[in-house]
Amino acid sequence: MPRAVRPARLRDAPAEEYGCWLVALPAVDGKQYVYRVYAPEDALPADLFWEAWHCHDEGPHPRAFDLFDAAVIRRIGR
């Protein structure tokens, strides 16, 4: 699983204070890349999507689709 990330406005708080979200992004190679995003329960889905997408875009993987509706976002933990 790619590295865990947190929205920029949350980076100063310890990850343990937040639950974990999984954001799956489909890519041009036909695979889904799943990112862990630590954020509070009331985080906006768009913030979670863009944080995962930017993390993916900076990595070595094939380009992910930047379509919000194509992403799968699920809360896990806490």
Side-chain angles (χ1 to χ4, degrees):
M1 183 176 289
R3 66 187 164 102
V5 294
R6 283 186 283 163
R9 61 187 163 77
L10 304 175
R11 288 195 179 126
D12 294 332
E16 300 80 36
E17 291 184 19
Y18 300 107
C20 183
W21 297 80
L22 293 182
V23 181
L25 304 173
V28 296
D29 63 355
K31 296 180 182 178
Q32 274 195 338
Y33 293 87
V34 181
Y35 290 84
R36 232 178 312 168
V37 179
Y38 292 99
E41 188 175 333
D42 62 349
L44 297 175
D47 288 341
L48 300 168
F49 167 78
W50 283 113
E51 188 67 25
W53 189 84
H54 284 295
C55 180
H56 179 86
D57 197 43
E58 295 170 1
H61 308 294
R63 183 152 174 82
F65 296 113
D66 59 353
L67 302 170
F68 176 77
D69 291 341
V72 177
I73 301 171
R74 298 280 187 259
R75 182 166 169 77
I76 61 169
R78 275 196 183 224

